[in-house]
Amino acid sequence: MSRSSPEPTPGFLVWRLANKWRVAVDRALAPLGLTHAQYALVASLHGMRRTGERPSQRGLADHTGLEALYVSKLARALEASGLIERTRDPRDPRAVQLALTERGQDVTRQAITAVQQLLQQLLEPLGGLDGPRTRAFTDELTTLLDVPLAPSVPNDETTQGTTP
């Protein structure tokens, strides 16, 4: 930003970092046929499977912070690619459970390795993945993510004339 411009807001910086990260992950995962959003699902499924979970689409949406409808769309694409299987939950016929296929497990392991290398590169200025500044940064991000935000109300008198 130029000297005459005001300092960037934390929101703007978070947005810029998120976009930088998404683009970098998309590029790193393209050879594996995955997008960043698809990676979020398969990597989450991989981690949940290791703890014995077989989540529903709703459970995976809650875990990733993605909208349930978007998770459903991503899951269908991943199923068509042979990376996950979707089955009806025997305890709730309305729910769909998700699991990685054998091929999905292999692709996910490769993707996790690629993203870990990218993450190490991104976090190098903070001392790398295991650096104390990275741990502090992670704690700060977790604190911010844990703050519930009230949904905004369009045309609310209290928000008129303000900028986000």
Side-chain angles (χ1 to χ4, degrees):
M1 302 199 81
S2 72
R3 291 180 187 255
S4 63
S5 298
E7 290 293 314
T9 65
F12 179 75
L13 293 174
V14 167
W15 176 75
R16 289 273 318 269
L17 183 59
N19 280 317
K20 177 181 180 177
W21 180 247
R22 183 192 49 78
V23 168
V25 171
D26 278 342
R27 286 178 182 158
L29 297 179
L32 296 172
L34 292 174
T35 65
H36 189 206
Q38 290 172 328
Y39 171 77
L41 260 61
V42 296
S44 293
L45 280 172
H46 177 77
M48 296 169 109
R49 181 185 63 87
R50 290 175 46 196
T51 62
E53 292 181 67
R54 183 173 178 153
S56 65
Q57 286 183 173
R58 164 56 67 193
L60 193 56
D62 292 344
H63 178 80
T64 59
L66 296 171
E67 293 292 327
L69 190 59
Y70 189 45
V71 169
S72 176
K73 179 182 173 183
L74 290 169
R76 289 179 196 280
L78 290 165
E79 181 182 40
S81 298
L83 301 179
I84 69 168
E85 59 184 15
R86 301 166 67 244
T87 57
R88 289 280 172 211
D89 185 334
R91 298 165 303 199
D92 182 356
R94 298 168 298 160
V96 175
Q97 289 182 315
L98 303 174
L100 291 169
T101 62
E102 196 170 312
R103 180 171 171 263
Q105 290 174 39
D106 181 51
V107 169
T108 300
R109 282 191 289 273
Q110 292 176 59
I112 288 170
T113 298
V115 170
Q116 287 298 100
Q117 290 171 349
L118 190 59
L119 191 55
Q120 179 66 34
Q121 180 184 352
L122 176 71
L123 294 172
E124 197 60 43
L126 299 181
L129 275 169
D130 299 321
R133 288 181 63 201
T134 298
R135 284 192 294 280
F137 179 60
T138 301
D139 291 344
E140 297 290 354
L141 290 172
T142 301
T143 297
L144 295 175
L145 286 169
D146 287 345
V147 175
L149 296 177
S152 61
V153 180
N155 300 321
D156 182 341
E157 290 176 8
T158 62
T159 61
Q160 288 184 352
T162 61
T163 57

